[in-house]
């Protein structure tokens, strides 16, 4: 059975449009074209040997004359047992491949998107060319040579890292000719990097809208600090043990690692911005540049690929990252015990991580109105402190105690506890959790 996919194309006849399909596979991830098959998978075989020979000759002529660079070792064609012409195309290493009659411009360059093809933009053609030539943005000479490093030097001093010229050469910030590289530009006070930071309300209106500019290190620190301010913590007490349980909106190292991942792996050649956007239910972190020379599955397994090895080296020396390829695995690990999962969206030009808010849908730090409805999960009133919880725990374990008896029990835990403190807790702060039963003289407190 034949069916179309991102790596399979069906054609009834060997028409000129098949050349575009071949170019698209060369420029993307390779694939197979079956000629002699309708869109619905029905086979229309080539049974005439003379016709087969003609098709073979046509394909051979295309390979030598229709494409550039010439992909002779990347295309294999033959007839299978169904008498269908099979054209197997490998991904090329000299992209962009294009139709020779059109030239290296959008009308001649195609790429595969799902089960269809589209023309490639001028900027995409440039990125293909730079990638095939192993161009390194961070090693290229900076157009701006009048650079200062006030913030970079401060961070280096804080981490006992020398920032003299000889060390800047070792860090690839100065090349062999004594010129500043683009890596130095990113570290400098004149860095062109701009990171957009936003917080939206439930109607997707801006609550916070900021842009951070300057040295990459300064921008990164600002973003990390402000993101941490939006990583809320909800406090819940277990109704059976009266122990405090806290839930961080973005657990473990997930938020920090996602932001650092964006800075480490952005394609700074692309004139776009890193974006950090907080919604009610998630945070979305976008960086320009897709995964570099790896698949998402390989990244999940901890495979290391570096678009910016010099930048990664600096961030490692300054103790921002570990440089062991553990970033994405640590993000996944933070959510492994949750039904909410991290979402990754990857394209050739962008990498997007969406971290779900673990507290979304639950009230955070709100007073309890009716704890009876869920006695095993009760939201803590902000006013409750550890003494209040200890009072609750004591009543849970010893129902029927009066205030004086509770105070005596708590002496072992709090040497400065007083009867007035316990009474204040019982009558003012715990009225939603406990109740007094019996007469004033012999009665006591019970958990509701």
């Amino acid at each position: 059975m034949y069916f179309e996919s991102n790596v399979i194309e069906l054609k009834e006849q060997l028409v000129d449009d098949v050349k575009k399909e071949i170019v698209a596979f060369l420029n993307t991830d390779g694939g197979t074209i079956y000629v002699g098959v309708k869109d619905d998978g029905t086979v229309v075989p080539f049974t005439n040997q003379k016709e087969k020979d003609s098709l073979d000759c046509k394909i051979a002529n295309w390979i030598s004359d229709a494409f550039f660079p010439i992909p002779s070792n990347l295309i294999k064609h033959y007839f299978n047992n169904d008498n269908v012409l099979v054209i197997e195309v490998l991904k090329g290493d000299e992209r962009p491949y294009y139709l020779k009659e059109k030239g290296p411009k959008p009308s001649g360059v195609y790429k595969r998107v799902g089960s269809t093809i589209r023309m490639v933009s001028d900027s995409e053609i440039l990125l293909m060319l730079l990638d095939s030539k192993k161009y390194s943005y961070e090693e290229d000479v900076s157009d701006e040579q009048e650079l200062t490093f006030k913030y970079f030097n401060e961070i280096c001093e804080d981490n006992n890292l020398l920032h003299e010229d000889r060390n800047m050469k070792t860090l690839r910030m100065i090349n062999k000719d004594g010129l500043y590289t683009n890596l130095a530009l990113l570290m400098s006070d004149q860095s062109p990097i701009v990171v957009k930071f936003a917080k939206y309300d439930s109607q997707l209106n801006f609550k916070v809208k900021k842009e951070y500019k300057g040295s990459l290190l300064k921008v990164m620190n600002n973003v990390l600090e402000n993101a941490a301010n939006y990583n809320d913590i909800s406090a819940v007490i277990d109704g059976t043990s009266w122990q405090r349980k806290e839930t961080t909106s973005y657990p473990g190292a997930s938020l920090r690692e996602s932001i650092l991942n964006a800075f480490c792996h952005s394609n700074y050649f692309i004139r776009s911005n890193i974006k950090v956007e907080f919604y009610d239910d998630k945070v979305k972190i976008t960086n320009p540049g897709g995964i570099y020379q790896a698949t998402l599955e390989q990244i999940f397994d901890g495979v290391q690929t570096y678009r910016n090895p010099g930048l990664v080296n600096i961030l490692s020396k300054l103790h921002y990252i570990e440089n062991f390829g553990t970033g994405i695995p640590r993000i996944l690990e933070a959510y492994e015990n949750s039904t909410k999962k991290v979402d990754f969206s990857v394209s050739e030009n962008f990498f997007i991580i969406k971290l779900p808010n673990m507290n979304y849908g639950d009230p955070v730090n709100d007073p309890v109105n009716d704890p009876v409805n869920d006695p095993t999960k009760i939201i803590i009133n902000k006013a409750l402190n550890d003494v209040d919880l200890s009072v609750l725990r004591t009543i849970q374990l010893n129902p029927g105690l009066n205030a004086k008896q509770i105070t005596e029990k708590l002496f072992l835990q709090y040497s400065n506890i007083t009867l007035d403190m316990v009474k204040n807790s019982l009558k003012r702060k715990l009225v939603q959790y406990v109740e007094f039963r019996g007469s004033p003289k012999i009665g006591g407190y019970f958990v509701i």
Side-chain angles (χ1 to χ4, degrees), residues 4 22 57 74-75 85 116 156 197 200 211 224 266 312 319 352 375 392 398 437:
E4 290 190 340
I22 292 174
C57 183
L74 299 173
I75 300 175
L85 174 61
T116 63
C156 287
F197 189 99
Y200 303 98
E211 288 190 355
L224 288 170
S266 281
V312 169
H319 309 295
I352 301 172
L392 274 171
N398 305 275
R437 300 174 189 167

Side-chain angles (χ1 to χ4, degrees), residues 244 365-368 379-385 429 432-433:
R244 186 189 304 269
N365 294 325
D366 286 333
V368 175
I379 308 300
I380 297 177
N381 186 314
K382 284 184 181 180
L384 296 190
N385 56 34
K429 299 165 71 176
Q432 295 171 309
Y433 306 93

Side-chain angles (χ1 to χ4, degrees), residues 117-215:
I117 65 171
R118 69 167 176 84
M119 286 192 295
V120 174
S121 66
D122 286 325
S123 61
E124 288 176 306
I125 292 173
L126 177 58
L127 289 173
M128 284 183 182
L129 182 62
L130 294 175
D131 185 55
S132 67
K133 301 302 180 185
K134 308 303 179 186
Y135 170 80
S136 171
Y137 170 79
E138 66 175 18
E139 292 183 1
D140 201 359
V141 175
S142 170
D143 291 336
E144 175 63 60
Q145 289 293 311
E146 298 296 323
L147 302 178
T148 60
F149 299 92
K150 181 179 179 181
Y151 192 86
F152 175 75
N153 292 344
E154 291 175 357
I155 298 297
C156 287
E157 289 173 359
D158 290 342
N159 288 272
N160 298 316
L161 181 67
L162 296 177
H163 46 81
E164 299 170 353
D165 282 0
R166 68 176 183 273
N167 294 302
M168 293 180 75
K169 288 181 179 179
T170 302
L171 294 173
R172 303 181 190 178
M173 293 173 63
I174 296 178
N175 69 7
K176 62 182 179 180
D177 298 317
L179 298 173
Y180 288 126
T181 64
N182 282 328
L183 178 57
L185 177 64
L186 292 175
M187 295 294 109
S188 74
D189 304 316
Q190 289 74 34
S191 171
I193 186 173
V194 176
V195 174
K196 296 186 176 182
F197 189 99
K199 168 73 173 174
Y200 303 98
D201 63 19
S202 58
Q203 303 301 314
L204 300 184
N205 299 309
F206 284 108
K207 295 180 68 176
V208 175
K209 183 179 181 183
K210 297 181 179 180
E211 288 190 355
Y212 297 106
K213 303 177 182 179
S215 168

Side-chain angles (χ1 to χ4, degrees), residues 78 157 166 261 309 355:
Y78 57 90
E157 289 173 359
R166 68 176 183 273
N261 181 79
L355 302 179

Side-chain angles (χ1 to χ4, degrees), residues 80-100:
N80 65 12
N81 293 334
D82 294 329
N83 286 314
V84 168
L85 174 61
V86 181
I87 306 173
E88 296 179 352
V89 184
L90 300 177
K91 179 181 179 179
D93 293 326
E94 299 181 80
R95 303 185 306 158
Y97 291 84
Y98 55 89
L99 298 174
K100 190 181 294 185

Side-chain angles (χ1 to χ4, degrees), residues 92-116:
D93 293 326
E94 299 181 80
R95 303 185 306 158
Y97 291 84
Y98 55 89
L99 298 174
K100 190 181 294 185
E101 63 180 350
K102 298 291 186 180
K105 53 187 179 183
S107 60
V109 184
Y110 295 83
K111 65 182 291 187
R112 192 82 176 174
V113 181
S115 59
T116 63

